[in-house]
């Protein structure tokens, strides 16, 4: 019965998101769903098992800390949308040079995240097939990278980007179904008197803290609002980015809270453990999650590939055409694929995005300091400075979950 309810929820939510004319015609919804889908993409799938392996029953608290840091960084980026964008191309000072560097860093972060998304996709495919092979994972990832790269170089990625609409709807439908399933499972355990926190290690040492810092990417994605200026106003992007972060924070905290009862030792090295972890809830969940994972990771890889190509073209003022950018991305991501694995690439991606976030916080700090005395806010400047330090620590000491 629960499997039927879960499937029905997934189908109804996905169908509504795909067919609703009200949503498709809403500029506010489109501006919200872009960062929301990015935040809720791969991070949602790997967060619970990775946190279970690192901090055990402290997972909700740890996720809360990551979300607070992410929201703080989001506030810095929203400040930049409001106060830096209008002067970004009018002057050529130190702040503009810092912003230019941050765009280059973001392009590199996208290189790493493309590799991460497709390595994660390969891991879910092989898990579904019951195969454990790093060689097979690298081969699948390489084939996908070459396919995306060749299409981008030859015809552009616009056609592949149409998959995003379906992948986002399927992923959000899966998330809704998973939350319903977990809520029902927890209720059943509570009513039968069997609900209890699992007997897993819940301590945290310095090494665990460094690994936790390496998981910043699970709440990454909100920065996409910064680069939607050609389609949405500054006010709309600020409002919808904040909304996307608050919605995703609520979903993450609810998910980790409901999933904690399923924790067990030994999950930290397996990013696909969400499949095995949710199997006791309902037989339909593992298949549903696997299907959503494949679609969402492919869509995210295409989106970040396109974003990186566009940033390279913009940063070089058109001297590097986007098709040559795709070639550079392809060569770099292939090298990353064969030199890393899915666990280590998570930490590398987190560190790359942390460096970008640090630079954005420094931009916000510099702009705030350059404003007139009547607009300066010492507490806000202190917050930007503290966030820059935190992101710098993530970049410097974040470790993979191995």
């Amino acid at each position: 019965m629960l499997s039927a309810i879960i499937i029905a929820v997934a189908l109804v939510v996905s169908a509504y998101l795909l067919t609703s004319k009200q949503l498709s015609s809403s500029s506010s919804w489109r501006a919200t769903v872009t960062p929301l889908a990015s935040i809720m993409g791969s991070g949602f799938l790997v967060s619970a098992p990775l946190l279970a392996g690192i901090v055990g029953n402290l997972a909700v608290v740890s996720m809360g800390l990551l979300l607070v840091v992410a929201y703080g960084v989001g506030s810095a980026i929203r400040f930049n949308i409001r106060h830096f964008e209008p002067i970004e191309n009018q002057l050529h000072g130190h702040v503009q040079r810092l912003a230019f560097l941050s765009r280059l860093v973001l392009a590199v972060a996208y290189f790493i995240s493309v590799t991460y998304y497709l390595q994660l996709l390969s891991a879910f495919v092989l898990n579904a097939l019951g195969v454990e092979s790093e060689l097979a994972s690298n081969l699948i990832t390489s084939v996908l990278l070459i396919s995306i790269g060749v299409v981008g170089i030859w015809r552009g990625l616009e056609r592949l980007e149409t998959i995003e609409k379906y992948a986002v709807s399927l992923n959000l439908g899966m998330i809704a179904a998973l939350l319903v399933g977990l809520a029902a499972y927890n209720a059943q355990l509570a009513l039968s008197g069997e609900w209890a926190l699992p007997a897993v290690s819940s301590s945290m040492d310095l090494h665990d803290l460094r690994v936790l810092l390496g998981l910043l990417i699970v709440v990454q994605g909100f920065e996409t609002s910064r680069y939607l200026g050609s389609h949405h106003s500054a006010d709309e992007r600020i409002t919808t980015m904040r909304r996307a972060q608050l919605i995703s924070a609520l979903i993450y905290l609810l998910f980790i809270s409901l999933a904690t009862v399923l924790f067990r030792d030994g999950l930290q090295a397996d990013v696909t453990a969400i499949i095995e972890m949710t199997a006791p809830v309902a037989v339909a969940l593992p298949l549903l999650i696997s299907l959503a994972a494949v679609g969402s990771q492919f869509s995210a890889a295409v989106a970040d590939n396109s974003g990186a190509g566009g940033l390279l073209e913009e940063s070089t003022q058109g001297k590097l055409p986007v098709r040559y950018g795709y070639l550079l991305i392809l060569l770099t991501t292939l090298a990353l694929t064969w030199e890393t694995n899915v666990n280590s690439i998570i930490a590398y991606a987190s560190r790359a995005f942390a460096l970008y976030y640090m630079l954005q916080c420094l931009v916000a700090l510099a702009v705030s300091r350059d404003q007139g005395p009547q607009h300066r806010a010492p507490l806000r400047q202190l917050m930007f400075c503290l966030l820059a330090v935190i992101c710098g620590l993530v970049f410097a000491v974040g470790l993979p979950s191995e």
Side-chain angles (χ1 to χ4, degrees), residues 10 14 44-45 169-179 288-289 292:
S14 298
F44 188 81
L45 296 172
S169 298
L170 177 61
N171 193 43
L172 293 178
M174 178 276 294
I175 289 172
L178 177 57
L179 292 177
L288 188 64
I289 293 172

Side-chain angles (χ1 to χ4, degrees), residues 194-253:
E194 298 177 3
W195 193 96
L197 288 175
V200 296
S201 174
S202 299
S203 61
M204 183 187 298
D205 55 22
L206 181 60
H207 179 272
D208 293 332
L209 180 60
R210 294 180 66 187
V211 175
L212 183 63
L213 290 174
L215 294 182
L216 182 64
I217 194 173
V218 302
V219 290
Q220 167 270 331
F222 51 88
E223 74 286 341
T224 54
S225 296
R226 172 76 171 81
Y227 303 98
L228 297 176
S230 59
H231 301 289
H232 304 279
S233 67
D235 286 340
E236 187 170 55
R237 283 180 290 141
I238 289 169
T239 299
T240 54
M241 187 211 288
R242 184 185 295 111
R243 181 187 303 156
Q245 284 197 281
L246 292 174
I247 292 172
S248 62
L250 178 63
I251 293 173
Y252 265 119
L253 293 174

Side-chain angles (χ1 to χ4, degrees), residues 54-276:
I54 300 168
V55 295
N57 294 331
L58 296 176
V60 176
V61 176
S62 300
M63 176 56 72
L65 292 175
L66 287 174
L67 290 166
V68 168
V69 172
Y71 189 82
V73 174
S75 69
I77 294 178
R78 289 190 288 274
F79 179 87
N80 290 339
I81 292 174
R82 172 78 68 198
H83 298 283
F84 178 63
E85 277 190 3
I87 62 172
E88 184 171 9
N89 298 315
Q90 295 177 5
L91 302 173
H92 300 283
H94 65 284
V95 183
Q96 280 73 17
R97 289 191 289 272
L98 199 59
F100 175 77
L101 178 60
S102 76
R103 286 198 298 272
L104 292 180
V105 170
L106 181 60
V108 173
Y110 279 154
F111 285 21
I112 301 172
S113 64
V114 167
T115 311
Y116 161 52
Y117 291 138
L118 294 182
Q119 283 188 342
L120 190 58
L121 185 156
S122 301
F124 275 97
V125 169
L126 292 176
N127 179 273
L129 297 175
V131 176
E132 292 186 17
S133 170
E134 186 173 342
L135 176 61
S137 177
N138 289 342
L139 287 173
I140 293 172
T141 303
S142 298
V143 168
L144 292 171
L145 286 169
I146 292 170
S147 301
I148 294 172
V150 168
V151 171
I153 295 168
W154 180 41
R155 300 292 295 273
L157 294 176
E158 288 78 9
R159 292 187 179 182
L160 290 181
E161 287 173 350
T162 59
I163 298 173
E164 182 178 12
K165 177 181 178 181
Y166 299 96
V168 167
S169 298
L170 177 61
N171 193 43
L172 293 178
M174 178 276 294
I175 289 172
L178 177 57
L179 292 177
V180 169
L182 287 173
Y185 183 73
N186 276 264
Q188 289 174 356
L189 290 178
L191 290 173
S192 63
E194 298 177 3
W195 193 96
L197 288 175
V200 296
S201 174
S202 299
S203 61
M204 183 187 298
D205 55 22
L206 181 60
H207 179 272
D208 293 332
L209 180 60
R210 294 180 66 187
V211 175
L212 183 63
L213 290 174
L215 294 182
L216 182 64
I217 194 173
V218 302
V219 290
Q220 167 270 331
F222 51 88
E223 74 286 341
T224 54
S225 296
R226 172 76 171 81
Y227 303 98
L228 297 176
S230 59
H231 301 289
H232 304 279
S233 67
D235 286 340
E236 187 170 55
R237 283 180 290 141
I238 289 169
T239 299
T240 54
M241 187 211 288
R242 184 185 295 111
R243 181 187 303 156
Q245 284 197 281
L246 292 174
I247 292 172
S248 62
L250 178 63
I251 293 173
Y252 265 119
L253 293 174
L254 182 60
F255 169 57
I256 298 297
S257 299
L258 293 173
T260 299
V261 72
L262 298 169
F263 286 179
R264 60 175 178 77
D265 288 325
L267 291 176
Q268 69 270 25
D270 186 2
V271 294
T272 64
I274 188 68
I275 301 295
E276 180 182 353

